[in-house]
Amino acid sequence: MRFLLGLAAILLAGVLLAVLFIAAFGWNWLRAPLERVVQQKTGRELAIHGDLTVKFGWPQVRLHGATLTFANPAWTQERYMVAATSVEVAVDVPQLLQRHLTFPEVRLQQATVFLETSADGRKNWLLDLAQQDENARIRIGRIALDRAQLGYDDVARKTRLRATLSTLSLIHISEPTRPY
């Protein structure tokens, strides 16, 4: 019985320390580790310049970052794949536990998004180091854009598209549990 009480006290103390740490320092301490992991996995820089907040829920956790940029690979024409003044993503926790990064919902404000394919078939939205693994992508279910600049360049097909748009509500892109 003493062992169980001691174990419960240690667990409660750990939870209390974590809550106090987050209350004192917020979630911004998570920016640097998150940026490092993205750099290691993709070879590209993710920079979150503003505050980062986290809202827990099940089966989704919501992350909100202010003033965010995600770099393009060196072969692209544009410097950033995504740049936005505000980004909110819902992360599917059960899928994350199965090592699949799935965003059932993405909201971007004042965003610039450029998608590009190279002459040799690389795609900047594929997140492996060579941008050729079709499974190396984030699965997105729905997206909302507020004052977004969108661009798409396909060198092989000599296609160049540019658009400005805002959505009134979420746009359904794909089934969030399956790659598209």
Side-chain angles (χ1 to χ4, degrees), residues 61-110:
V61 171
R62 291 190 172 275
L63 302 172
H64 179 268
T67 315
L68 178 138
T69 58
F70 180 58
N72 257 324
W75 57 265
T76 61
Q77 297 296 314
E78 300 292 335
R79 181 174 179 188
Y80 297 113
M81 182 176 146
V82 178
T85 59
S86 176
V87 175
E88 183 176 314
V89 297
V91 179
D92 187 315
V93 176
Q95 287 292 311
L96 188 61
L97 294 173
Q98 294 177 21
R99 303 181 59 110
H100 301 292
L101 188 53
T102 302
F103 295 163
E105 186 177 305
V106 174
R107 294 178 181 269
L108 302 174
Q109 290 183 339
Q110 293 179 322

Tab-separated table of all heavy atoms in Angstrom, residues 61-110:
chain	number	residue	atom	x	y	z
A	61	VAL	N	-5.681	17.121	-31.511
A	61	VAL	CA	-5.021	18.194	-30.785
A	61	VAL	C	-4.872	19.341	-31.770
A	61	VAL	O	-4.505	19.125	-32.927
A	61	VAL	CB	-3.634	17.747	-30.263
A	61	VAL	CG1	-2.867	18.919	-29.695
A	61	VAL	CG2	-3.785	16.651	-29.234
A	62	ARG	N	-5.166	20.553	-31.336
A	62	ARG	CA	-5.048	21.722	-32.219
A	62	ARG	C	-3.796	22.517	-31.867
A	62	ARG	O	-3.573	22.842	-30.699
A	62	ARG	CB	-6.265	22.625	-32.089
A	62	ARG	CG	-7.508	21.999	-32.656
A	62	ARG	CD	-8.641	23.019	-32.739
A	62	ARG	NE	-9.751	22.445	-33.442
A	62	ARG	CZ	-9.888	22.432	-34.763
A	62	ARG	NH1	-8.995	22.998	-35.505
A	62	ARG	NH2	-10.923	21.868	-35.316
A	63	LEU	N	-3.021	22.816	-32.888
A	63	LEU	CA	-1.827	23.650	-32.746
A	63	LEU	C	-2.069	24.951	-33.495
A	63	LEU	O	-2.578	24.935	-34.624
A	63	LEU	CB	-0.600	22.971	-33.342
A	63	LEU	CG	-0.212	21.615	-32.780
A	63	LEU	CD1	0.903	21.004	-33.616
A	63	LEU	CD2	0.237	21.750	-31.342
A	64	HIS	N	-1.703	26.059	-32.885
A	64	HIS	CA	-1.820	27.355	-33.535
A	64	HIS	C	-0.473	28.051	-33.447
A	64	HIS	O	0.117	28.153	-32.373
A	64	HIS	CB	-2.905	28.217	-32.876
A	64	HIS	CG	-3.014	29.558	-33.516
A	64	HIS	ND1	-2.310	30.640	-33.061
A	64	HIS	CD2	-3.716	29.979	-34.595
A	64	HIS	CE1	-2.583	31.682	-33.823
A	64	HIS	NE2	-3.429	31.304	-34.757
A	65	GLY	N	0.016	28.496	-34.592
A	65	GLY	CA	1.271	29.232	-34.633
A	65	GLY	C	1.080	30.536	-35.379
A	65	GLY	O	0.363	30.597	-36.382
A	66	ALA	N	1.714	31.583	-34.876
A	66	ALA	CA	1.651	32.879	-35.540
A	66	ALA	C	2.945	33.109	-36.311
A	66	ALA	O	4.024	32.743	-35.847
A	66	ALA	CB	1.432	33.984	-34.513
A	67	THR	N	2.816	33.673	-37.493
A	67	THR	CA	3.938	34.016	-38.367
A	67	THR	C	4.846	32.807	-38.573
A	67	THR	O	5.879	32.664	-37.941
A	67	THR	CB	4.735	35.213	-37.804
A	67	THR	OG1	3.823	36.214	-37.365
A	67	THR	CG2	5.640	35.790	-38.868
A	68	LEU	N	4.427	31.966	-39.469
A	68	LEU	CA	5.098	30.697	-39.747
A	68	LEU	C	5.581	30.650	-41.189
A	68	LEU	O	4.891	31.131	-42.092
A	68	LEU	CB	4.104	29.556	-39.508
A	68	LEU	CG	4.580	28.145	-39.786
A	68	LEU	CD1	4.104	27.224	-38.691
A	68	LEU	CD2	4.084	27.673	-41.133
A	69	THR	N	6.774	30.079	-41.407
A	69	THR	CA	7.275	29.818	-42.760
A	69	THR	C	7.807	28.400	-42.826
A	69	THR	O	8.363	27.889	-41.853
A	69	THR	CB	8.396	30.793	-43.172
A	69	THR	OG1	9.464	30.705	-42.237
A	69	THR	CG2	7.901	32.220	-43.264
A	70	PHE	N	7.607	27.763	-43.979
A	70	PHE	CA	8.158	26.442	-44.254
A	70	PHE	C	8.854	26.532	-45.601
A	70	PHE	O	8.224	26.818	-46.628
A	70	PHE	CB	7.063	25.371	-44.274
A	70	PHE	CG	7.580	23.988	-44.550
A	70	PHE	CD1	8.532	23.404	-43.733
A	70	PHE	CD2	7.127	23.274	-45.638
A	70	PHE	CE1	9.016	22.128	-43.991
A	70	PHE	CE2	7.595	22.000	-45.905
A	70	PHE	CZ	8.545	21.430	-45.078
A	71	ALA	N	10.163	26.316	-45.593
A	71	ALA	CA	10.987	26.521	-46.784
A	71	ALA	C	10.730	25.473	-47.858
A	71	ALA	O	10.298	24.357	-47.581
A	71	ALA	CB	12.464	26.512	-46.398
A	72	ASN	N	11.037	25.868	-49.067
A	72	ASN	CA	11.023	24.963	-50.199
A	72	ASN	C	12.387	24.294	-50.324
A	72	ASN	O	13.383	24.807	-49.808
A	72	ASN	CB	10.741	25.751	-51.488
A	72	ASN	CG	9.321	25.594	-51.954
A	72	ASN	OD1	8.731	24.531	-51.830
A	72	ASN	ND2	8.769	26.663	-52.500
A	73	PRO	N	12.477	23.176	-51.052
A	73	PRO	CA	13.793	22.605	-51.355
A	73	PRO	C	14.583	23.573	-52.250
A	73	PRO	O	13.998	24.451	-52.901
A	73	PRO	CB	13.479	21.314	-52.107
A	73	PRO	CG	12.007	21.118	-52.036
A	73	PRO	CD	11.381	22.384	-51.576
A	74	ALA	N	15.874	23.381	-52.327
A	74	ALA	CA	16.750	24.294	-53.067
A	74	ALA	C	16.433	24.358	-54.561
A	74	ALA	O	16.691	25.374	-55.205
A	74	ALA	CB	18.213	23.881	-52.857
A	75	TRP	N	15.871	23.322	-55.146
A	75	TRP	CA	15.632	23.286	-56.596
A	75	TRP	C	14.430	24.111	-57.045
A	75	TRP	O	14.234	24.354	-58.227
A	75	TRP	CB	15.466	21.846	-57.090
A	75	TRP	CG	14.373	21.062	-56.421
A	75	TRP	CD1	14.493	20.221	-55.354
A	75	TRP	CD2	12.987	21.055	-56.780
A	75	TRP	NE1	13.277	19.697	-55.011
A	75	TRP	CE2	12.331	20.187	-55.875
A	75	TRP	CE3	12.227	21.678	-57.761
A	75	TRP	CZ2	10.959	19.938	-55.924
A	75	TRP	CZ3	10.863	21.440	-57.803
A	75	TRP	CH2	10.248	20.567	-56.898
A	76	THR	N	13.606	24.571	-56.126
A	76	THR	CA	12.383	25.286	-56.505
A	76	THR	C	12.668	26.747	-56.830
A	76	THR	O	13.724	27.283	-56.507
A	76	THR	CB	11.346	25.223	-55.373
A	76	THR	OG1	11.899	25.849	-54.224
A	76	THR	CG2	10.941	23.791	-55.073
A	77	GLN	N	11.699	27.387	-57.460
A	77	GLN	CA	11.818	28.801	-57.811
A	77	GLN	C	11.482	29.715	-56.636
A	77	GLN	O	12.033	30.799	-56.514
A	77	GLN	CB	10.885	29.137	-58.989
A	77	GLN	CG	11.230	28.399	-60.257
A	77	GLN	CD	12.595	28.789	-60.796
A	77	GLN	OE1	12.925	29.972	-60.863
A	77	GLN	NE2	13.399	27.805	-61.141
A	78	GLU	N	10.567	29.280	-55.801
A	78	GLU	CA	10.109	30.103	-54.689
A	78	GLU	C	10.837	29.713	-53.403
A	78	GLU	O	11.163	28.552	-53.193
A	78	GLU	CB	8.601	29.939	-54.482
A	78	GLU	CG	7.770	30.341	-55.684
A	78	GLU	CD	7.823	31.837	-55.966
A	78	GLU	OE1	8.081	32.629	-55.030
A	78	GLU	OE2	7.587	32.217	-57.127
A	79	ARG	N	11.068	30.683	-52.537
A	79	ARG	CA	11.800	30.426	-51.299
A	79	ARG	C	10.997	29.581	-50.310
A	79	ARG	O	11.534	28.709	-49.650
A	79	ARG	CB	12.179	31.760	-50.666
A	79	ARG	CG	12.952	31.604	-49.386
A	79	ARG	CD	13.427	32.918	-48.853
A	79	ARG	NE	14.146	32.689	-47.609
A	79	ARG	CZ	14.559	33.647	-46.825
A	79	ARG	NH1	14.360	34.897	-47.155
A	79	ARG	NH2	15.180	33.358	-45.712
A	80	TYR	N	9.691	29.872	-50.201
A	80	TYR	CA	8.861	29.179	-49.223
A	80	TYR	C	7.756	28.381	-49.911
A	80	TYR	O	7.144	28.854	-50.866
A	80	TYR	CB	8.206	30.166	-48.245
A	80	TYR	CG	9.199	30.915	-47.403
A	80	TYR	CD1	9.369	32.281	-47.554
A	80	TYR	CD2	9.959	30.248	-46.465
A	80	TYR	CE1	10.283	32.971	-46.776
A	80	TYR	CE2	10.874	30.925	-45.683
A	80	TYR	CZ	11.041	32.283	-45.849
A	80	TYR	OH	11.944	32.959	-45.080
A	81	MET	N	7.475	27.210	-49.354
A	81	MET	CA	6.302	26.462	-49.778
A	81	MET	C	5.069	27.060	-49.115
A	81	MET	O	4.024	27.199	-49.738
A	81	MET	CB	6.444	24.982	-49.395
A	81	MET	CG	5.295	24.121	-49.846
A	81	MET	SD	5.623	22.395	-49.443
A	81	MET	CE	3.972	21.840	-49.095
A	82	VAL	N	5.208	27.427	-47.834
A	82	VAL	CA	4.111	28.053	-47.081
A	82	VAL	C	4.684	29.177	-46.226
A	82	VAL	O	5.696	28.997	-45.551
A	82	VAL	CB	3.400	27.035	-46.151
A	82	VAL	CG1	2.307	27.723	-45.337
A	82	VAL	CG2	2.831	25.877	-46.928
A	83	ALA	N	4.008	30.313	-46.279
A	83	ALA	CA	4.291	31.427	-45.373
A	83	ALA	C	2.935	31.989	-44.979
A	83	ALA	O	2.083	32.214	-45.840
A	83	ALA	CB	5.140	32.495	-46.052
A	84	ALA	N	2.706	32.171	-43.680
A	84	ALA	CA	1.396	32.644	-43.228
A	84	ALA	C	1.537	33.436	-41.939
A	84	ALA	O	2.429	33.179	-41.136
A	84	ALA	CB	0.449	31.463	-43.010
A	85	THR	N	0.612	34.382	-41.765
A	85	THR	CA	0.620	35.139	-40.510
A	85	THR	C	-0.005	34.338	-39.379
A	85	THR	O	0.260	34.600	-38.212
A	85	THR	CB	-0.140	36.476	-40.652
A	85	THR	OG1	-1.483	36.200	-41.030
A	85	THR	CG2	0.524	37.374	-41.679
A	86	SER	N	-0.847	33.350	-39.728
A	86	SER	CA	-1.480	32.513	-38.721
A	86	SER	C	-1.774	31.143	-39.320
A	86	SER	O	-2.302	31.054	-40.429
A	86	SER	CB	-2.788	33.165	-38.245
A	86	SER	OG	-3.461	32.325	-37.332
A	87	VAL	N	-1.417	30.101	-38.579
A	87	VAL	CA	-1.668	28.728	-39.011
A	87	VAL	C	-2.285	27.977	-37.841
A	87	VAL	O	-1.773	28.025	-36.725
A	87	VAL	CB	-0.363	28.013	-39.430
A	87	VAL	CG1	-0.623	26.558	-39.762
A	87	VAL	CG2	0.300	28.722	-40.597
A	88	GLU	N	-3.394	27.290	-38.126
A	88	GLU	CA	-3.986	26.404	-37.131
A	88	GLU	C	-4.198	25.051	-37.780
A	88	GLU	O	-4.772	24.958	-38.867
A	88	GLU	CB	-5.322	26.945	-36.622
A	88	GLU	CG	-5.917	26.062	-35.535
A	88	GLU	CD	-7.201	26.634	-34.950
A	88	GLU	OE1	-7.231	27.831	-34.649
A	88	GLU	OE2	-8.152	25.853	-34.806
A	89	VAL	N	-3.687	24.018	-37.131
A	89	VAL	CA	-3.867	22.660	-37.648
A	89	VAL	C	-4.443	21.778	-36.547
A	89	VAL	O	-4.102	21.921	-35.381
A	89	VAL	CB	-2.550	22.039	-38.179
A	89	VAL	CG1	-2.014	22.812	-39.355
A	89	VAL	CG2	-1.504	21.925	-37.102
A	90	ALA	N	-5.321	20.887	-36.965
A	90	ALA	CA	-5.812	19.836	-36.078
A	90	ALA	C	-4.997	18.597	-36.418
A	90	ALA	O	-4.880	18.216	-37.585
A	90	ALA	CB	-7.297	19.583	-36.314
A	91	VAL	N	-4.382	17.988	-35.416
A	91	VAL	CA	-3.563	16.798	-35.604
A	91	VAL	C	-4.356	15.588	-35.134
A	91	VAL	O	-4.859	15.578	-34.010
A	91	VAL	CB	-2.234	16.906	-34.820
A	91	VAL	CG1	-1.392	15.653	-35.006
A	91	VAL	CG2	-1.458	18.149	-35.235
A	92	ASP	N	-4.463	14.587	-35.990
A	92	ASP	CA	-5.168	13.348	-35.662
A	92	ASP	C	-4.248	12.494	-34.795
A	92	ASP	O	-3.284	11.907	-35.285
A	92	ASP	CB	-5.545	12.615	-36.950
A	92	ASP	CG	-6.414	11.406	-36.698
A	92	ASP	OD1	-6.112	10.620	-35.775
A	92	ASP	OD2	-7.377	11.212	-37.452
A	93	VAL	N	-4.526	12.432	-33.503
A	93	VAL	CA	-3.654	11.736	-32.555
A	93	VAL	C	-3.585	10.227	-32.816
A	93	VAL	O	-2.484	9.662	-32.835
A	93	VAL	CB	-4.053	12.048	-31.099
A	93	VAL	CG1	-3.208	11.254	-30.112
A	93	VAL	CG2	-3.929	13.539	-30.830
A	94	PRO	N	-4.712	9.513	-33.040
A	94	PRO	CA	-4.593	8.080	-33.325
A	94	PRO	C	-3.728	7.789	-34.559
A	94	PRO	O	-2.934	6.850	-34.556
A	94	PRO	CB	-6.043	7.632	-33.541
A	94	PRO	CG	-6.851	8.602	-32.755
A	94	PRO	CD	-6.118	9.907	-32.891
A	95	GLN	N	-3.850	8.621	-35.606
A	95	GLN	CA	-3.012	8.435	-36.791
A	95	GLN	C	-1.536	8.727	-36.466
A	95	GLN	O	-0.640	8.045	-36.954
A	95	GLN	CB	-3.481	9.342	-37.939
A	95	GLN	CG	-4.758	8.900	-38.580
A	95	GLN	CD	-4.567	7.601	-39.348
A	95	GLN	OE1	-3.645	7.453	-40.130
A	95	GLN	NE2	-5.451	6.653	-39.101
A	96	LEU	N	-1.290	9.747	-35.646
A	96	LEU	CA	0.075	10.089	-35.253
A	96	LEU	C	0.715	8.941	-34.478
A	96	LEU	O	1.892	8.632	-34.672
A	96	LEU	CB	0.073	11.366	-34.415
A	96	LEU	CG	1.424	11.970	-34.090
A	96	LEU	CD1	2.172	12.353	-35.353
A	96	LEU	CD2	1.254	13.183	-33.191
A	97	LEU	N	-0.059	8.282	-33.636
A	97	LEU	CA	0.458	7.140	-32.885
A	97	LEU	C	0.805	5.971	-33.809
A	97	LEU	O	1.626	5.125	-33.455
A	97	LEU	CB	-0.549	6.698	-31.818
A	97	LEU	CG	-0.792	7.699	-30.691
A	97	LEU	CD1	-1.924	7.230	-29.791
A	97	LEU	CD2	0.481	7.945	-29.897
A	98	GLN	N	0.210	5.954	-35.009
A	98	GLN	CA	0.539	4.935	-36.012
A	98	GLN	C	1.593	5.446	-37.004
A	98	GLN	O	1.818	4.846	-38.040
A	98	GLN	CB	-0.717	4.519	-36.771
A	98	GLN	CG	-1.726	3.821	-35.914
A	98	GLN	CD	-2.993	3.495	-36.696
A	98	GLN	OE1	-3.004	3.436	-37.910
A	98	GLN	NE2	-4.068	3.263	-35.974
A	99	ARG	N	2.224	6.591	-36.669
A	99	ARG	CA	3.292	7.203	-37.459
A	99	ARG	C	2.809	7.756	-38.796
A	99	ARG	O	3.544	7.759	-39.786
A	99	ARG	CB	4.455	6.249	-37.634
A	99	ARG	CG	5.022	5.777	-36.296
A	99	ARG	CD	6.173	4.851	-36.466
A	99	ARG	NE	7.248	5.486	-37.200
A	99	ARG	CZ	8.407	5.845	-36.694
A	99	ARG	NH1	8.650	5.630	-35.443
A	99	ARG	NH2	9.328	6.402	-37.442
A	100	HIS	N	1.562	8.230	-38.842
A	100	HIS	CA	1.008	8.896	-40.022
A	100	HIS	C	0.640	10.316	-39.615
A	100	HIS	O	-0.172	10.501	-38.704
A	100	HIS	CB	-0.250	8.193	-40.535
A	100	HIS	CG	-0.045	6.770	-40.913
A	100	HIS	ND1	0.709	6.383	-41.995
A	100	HIS	CD2	-0.493	5.641	-40.335
A	100	HIS	CE1	0.702	5.064	-42.080
A	100	HIS	NE2	-0.014	4.587	-41.072
A	101	LEU	N	1.219	11.302	-40.277
A	101	LEU	CA	0.903	12.685	-39.964
A	101	LEU	C	-0.332	13.087	-40.761
A	101	LEU	O	-0.307	13.171	-41.986
A	101	LEU	CB	2.073	13.607	-40.294
A	101	LEU	CG	1.952	15.050	-39.837
A	101	LEU	CD1	1.623	15.138	-38.348
A	101	LEU	CD2	3.226	15.805	-40.132
A	102	THR	N	-1.436	13.308	-40.047
A	102	THR	CA	-2.724	13.628	-40.660
A	102	THR	C	-3.270	14.886	-40.011
A	102	THR	O	-3.373	14.973	-38.793
A	102	THR	CB	-3.713	12.458	-40.463
A	102	THR	OG1	-3.146	11.286	-41.030
A	102	THR	CG2	-5.044	12.750	-41.121
A	103	PHE	N	-3.615	15.856	-40.861
A	103	PHE	CA	-4.260	17.087	-40.412
A	103	PHE	C	-5.696	17.071	-40.924
A	103	PHE	O	-5.944	17.396	-42.084
A	103	PHE	CB	-3.555	18.324	-40.966
A	103	PHE	CG	-2.142	18.542	-40.496
A	103	PHE	CD1	-1.310	19.399	-41.187
A	103	PHE	CD2	-1.641	17.921	-39.375
A	103	PHE	CE1	-0.013	19.638	-40.773
A	103	PHE	CE2	-0.340	18.147	-38.939
A	103	PHE	CZ	0.475	19.015	-39.647
A	104	PRO	N	-6.663	16.687	-40.091
A	104	PRO	CA	-8.054	16.705	-40.542
A	104	PRO	C	-8.517	18.108	-40.953
A	104	PRO	O	-9.405	18.262	-41.768
A	104	PRO	CB	-8.837	16.209	-39.335
A	104	PRO	CG	-7.843	15.445	-38.526
A	104	PRO	CD	-6.528	16.135	-38.756
A	105	GLU	N	-7.879	19.134	-40.375
A	105	GLU	CA	-8.272	20.500	-40.669
A	105	GLU	C	-7.056	21.414	-40.621
A	105	GLU	O	-6.224	21.302	-39.724
A	105	GLU	CB	-9.308	20.947	-39.637
A	105	GLU	CG	-9.915	22.287	-39.902
A	105	GLU	CD	-10.986	22.596	-38.859
A	105	GLU	OE1	-11.914	21.786	-38.684
A	105	GLU	OE2	-10.864	23.656	-38.223
A	106	VAL	N	-6.964	22.325	-41.595
A	106	VAL	CA	-5.901	23.330	-41.650
A	106	VAL	C	-6.549	24.676	-41.931
A	106	VAL	O	-7.404	24.790	-42.802
A	106	VAL	CB	-4.875	23.013	-42.771
A	106	VAL	CG1	-3.862	24.135	-42.914
A	106	VAL	CG2	-4.184	21.693	-42.512
A	107	ARG	N	-6.135	25.698	-41.183
A	107	ARG	CA	-6.613	27.067	-41.403
A	107	ARG	C	-5.389	27.975	-41.566
A	107	ARG	O	-4.524	27.999	-40.696
A	107	ARG	CB	-7.461	27.545	-40.229
A	107	ARG	CG	-8.760	26.778	-40.064
A	107	ARG	CD	-9.546	27.262	-38.843
A	107	ARG	NE	-10.754	26.513	-38.696
A	107	ARG	CZ	-11.925	26.852	-39.238
A	107	ARG	NH1	-12.015	27.944	-39.955
A	107	ARG	NH2	-12.992	26.103	-39.061
A	108	LEU	N	-5.358	28.705	-42.672
A	108	LEU	CA	-4.241	29.612	-42.970
A	108	LEU	C	-4.783	31.024	-43.165
A	108	LEU	O	-5.761	31.214	-43.890
A	108	LEU	CB	-3.519	29.190	-44.243
A	108	LEU	CG	-2.944	27.783	-44.293
A	108	LEU	CD1	-2.403	27.485	-45.681
A	108	LEU	CD2	-1.859	27.615	-43.247
A	109	GLN	N	-4.134	32.009	-42.542
A	109	GLN	CA	-4.501	33.409	-42.738
A	109	GLN	C	-3.346	34.143	-43.389
A	109	GLN	O	-2.185	33.928	-43.032
A	109	GLN	CB	-4.835	34.076	-41.412
A	109	GLN	CG	-6.129	33.578	-40.810
A	109	GLN	CD	-6.454	34.334	-39.532
A	109	GLN	OE1	-5.609	34.921	-38.891
A	109	GLN	NE2	-7.725	34.304	-39.158
A	110	GLN	N	-3.693	35.004	-44.327
A	110	GLN	CA	-2.710	35.781	-45.080
A	110	GLN	C	-1.528	34.889	-45.473
A	110	GLN	O	-0.385	35.153	-45.126
A	110	GLN	CB	-2.247	36.993	-44.285
A	110	GLN	CG	-3.354	38.009	-44.096
A	110	GLN	CD	-2.894	39.196	-43.298
A	110	GLN	OE1	-2.124	39.071	-42.343
A	110	GLN	NE2	-3.382	40.370	-43.668
